[in-house]
Amino acid sequence: MSNCRFLVINGIISQPSSEVPQISSFLETHSGAYTTTRTHNNGTCVMFWERHLHRLAESVRILAESKPDFLFGLENSRVSSSFSSSSLSWESVINPLVNDSLRKVLPVSLKEKSSEEELVITTLVTGNSRNFEREDGKILKDVDVFVHVSVYVPPVFGVRENGAHLAVVGHGRDVARAKFSKWVRIRKNLEKLRPPLATELLLSDDGDQILEGSVTNFFIVSQKDSSNTLEENHFDLKRECPYEVQTAPLADGVLPGIIRQLVIEVCFSRGIPFREVAPQWSKRELWHEAFITNSLRLVQHVETIRVPSSWELLELKTWKEVNWEETCFKEGPGILTSEIQREIMKRADLEGCQVSDFA
Ligand SMILES: *[C@@H]1O[C@H](CO)[C@@H](O)[C@H](O)[C@H]1NC(C)=O
Ligand SMILES: *[C@@H]1O[C@H](CO)[C@@H](O)[C@H](O)[C@H]1NC(C)=O
């Protein structure tokens, strides 16, 4: 695997590219809102690009309004009166800059990748100390746009050994609706609770209702709980299906993941029962399948989930001092997980943005 990386700062490719940091170190040292996607089909198509641009602008808007220091860094966060409040107007500022950066960096980075690799594209918007005046006379705080490109070999879906091993370790995120780089630093504090072999950490405020993963959204396929039958819906198909897909609602404090939203859309279009409710560990005897999603792995089936048997003083402990309860899905990806994965791949082809569109 080649370790080529590129960084574009406000449309200028930074040189030398051998000194571009890994994306995690880059995000740790730059405040801002960001989004990460990748190419597929051998670097020809940028996955769900419009959705990513839209969420990026939305993250910028949310941070500008509620957590300016996450966007501008502490030193630049004071002038808050001049923020533009609609994500549409943020899109009009950000998108041309991002487009211009991709137009320059995609051709060079595509030359560096090998056949099985795809490009990972991370776009970070950070506030700076300057202001600028728009055509309508409105003064806005200025932003810098960084595009970081590296290579990645996507895991193959469906291989049993590629299952995720999860451990519930910590509390839900602040301003979870925005995707921001500060979280990359905060989530490091959870590492001391990561059991060996755990591939992703899950967040929960009470050790029962599971919100999301530290870099993924979390779903389970559960047998329908008979105590909920009163709120049953009217579709025959849905009533017949004894299972439903569950994930925590945005209102509980989870990231509006791009793939999370696609899972919901796929469930509706395929008639798969779906309920936006935090999966409850205490109801795990009803769980049949579990999977996590993000824009790099897309859909990954879960093999094991571990949860501390006591939630008390968890933050003071290390993984060794915790007693873990475990549940296991031994069969590889389940039927509904696989169907959802297939449908998302179809949409990736329909909705992706061709790399040639940036030329
Ligand atoms: C992938 O794309 C590169 C050019 O970017 C090409 O040389 C290579 O043959 C392609 N691989 C496959 C498997 O199509
Ligand atoms: C990027 O900008 C160019 C030039 O303005 C435009 O033709 C192209 O459609 C844009 N591409 C995307 C993917 O927005």
Side-chain angles (χ1 to χ4, degrees):
M1 177 150 147
S2 56
N3 58 355
C4 80
R5 292 192 279 266
F6 293 92
L7 182 63
V8 193
I9 307 172
N10 292 331
I12 295 165
I13 299 183
S14 108
Q15 298 291 349
S17 63
S18 58
E19 280 167 27
V20 172
Q22 290 199 353
I23 185 60
S24 52
S25 339
F26 173 76
L27 291 173
E28 271 174 47
T29 49
H30 291 76
S31 328
Y34 75 103
T35 194
T36 297
T37 184
R38 66 169 171 89
T39 59
H40 82 148
N41 294 344
N42 192 18
T44 54
C45 172
V46 183
M47 293 185 106
F48 304 113
W49 181 238
E50 286 190 9
R51 294 182 189 242
H52 280 277
L53 283 178
H54 185 68
R55 187 187 58 189
L56 179 63
E58 190 58 13
S59 295
V60 171
R61 182 189 65 77
I62 292 168
L63 294 183
E65 281 171 8
S66 59
K67 276 278 180 197
D69 55 313
F70 283 11
L71 185 61
F72 290 89
L74 268 181
E75 61 283 7
N76 294 328
S77 65
R78 284 186 44 236
V79 200
S80 60
S81 57
S82 53
F83 289 141
S84 163
S85 62
S86 92
S87 57
L88 255 187
S89 57
W90 279 113
E91 281 188 70
S92 67
V93 174
I94 297 165
N95 293 7
L97 286 167
V98 180
N99 180 334
D100 180 47
S101 301
L102 281 185
R103 194 167 49 79
K104 289 173 180 155
V105 77
L106 284 177
V108 268
S109 41
L110 281 170
K111 278 198 202 118
E112 298 294 322
K113 81 165 199 59
S114 67
S115 253
E116 67 277 13
E117 289 172 335
E118 297 292 348
L119 300 179
V120 175
I121 303 163
T122 299
T123 308
L124 175 91
V125 174
T126 183
N128 60 36
S129 52
R130 302 184 297 272
N131 292 324
F132 74 98
E133 187 175 348
R134 240 182 16 191
E135 279 165 13
D136 60 8
K138 198 165 176 187
I139 305 290
L140 295 182
K141 285 211 67 141
D142 198 11
V143 291
D144 291 324
V145 170
F146 297 83
V147 175
H148 183 285
V149 177
S150 54
V151 294
Y152 175 77
V153 179
V156 178
F157 179 84
V159 178
R160 212 169 112 188
E161 294 71 39
N162 284 352
H165 298 275
L166 313 180
V168 177
V169 297
H171 293 279
R173 296 185 303 131
D174 210 9
V175 272
R177 285 222 189 185
K179 191 170 174 75
F180 53 90
S181 58
K182 182 104 189 268
W183 172 245
V184 178
R185 255 180 293 164
I186 300 172
R187 75 175 185 232
K188 275 195 156 174
N189 299 329
L190 301 173
E191 286 299 323
K192 65 187 174 53
L193 282 163
R194 182 193 288 266
L197 306 180
T199 55
E200 166 68 321
L201 303 174
L202 297 179
L203 309 179
S204 168
D205 286 333
D206 57 9
D208 185 43
Q209 308 208 17
I210 302 175
L211 299 170
E212 61 177 343
S214 71
V215 295
T216 58
N217 287 109
F218 173 70
F219 295 79
I220 56 148
V221 175
S222 171
Q223 205 172 317
K224 284 182 186 160
D225 188 349
S226 49
S227 59
N228 287 331
T229 45
L230 282 181
E231 60 182 72
E232 212 44 81
N233 46 55
H234 307 292
F235 298 98
D236 281 337
L237 182 62
K238 291 192 178 180
R239 204 178 298 151
E240 279 164 22
C241 178
Y243 302 110
E244 66 183 10
V245 176
Q246 300 178 351
T247 197
L250 297 184
D252 283 3
V254 303
L255 180 79
I258 304 294
I259 308 297
R260 176 190 183 278
Q261 178 59 29
L262 282 152
V263 171
I264 297 172
E265 293 173 17
V266 163
C267 285
F268 279 103
S269 78
R270 305 291 300 171
I272 300 168
F274 169 81
R275 204 150 59 95
E276 219 171 4
V277 60
Q280 267 181 287
W281 179 245
S282 54
K283 295 192 174 165
R284 64 187 175 281
E285 76 283 1
L286 299 173
W287 296 1
H288 274 246
E289 304 172 23
F291 59 95
I292 54 178
T293 60
N294 75 15
S295 289
L296 293 186
R297 309 173 207 188
L298 308 182
V299 176
Q300 182 183 24
H301 76 277
V302 169
E303 187 167 330
T304 61
I305 306 174
R306 283 200 260 185
V307 175
S309 47
S310 159
W311 200 244
E312 266 163 44
L313 302 175
L314 190 64
E315 54 273 29
L316 301 178
K317 295 181 181 159
T318 66
W319 67 269
K320 279 189 198 158
E321 299 162 281
V322 173
N323 289 319
W324 299 92
E325 296 172 0
E326 186 176 283
T327 196
C328 223
F329 305 89
K330 281 281 176 222
E331 312 290 312
I335 292 173
L336 289 179
T337 304
S338 303
E339 177 170 353
I340 289 167
Q341 190 271 347
R342 265 194 315 274
E343 289 297 316
I344 288 178
M345 292 316 293
K346 276 190 208 160
R347 282 166 199 236
D349 287 327
L350 293 173
E351 261 190 53
C353 168
Q354 293 306 305
V355 164
S356 51
D357 292 347
F358 292 101

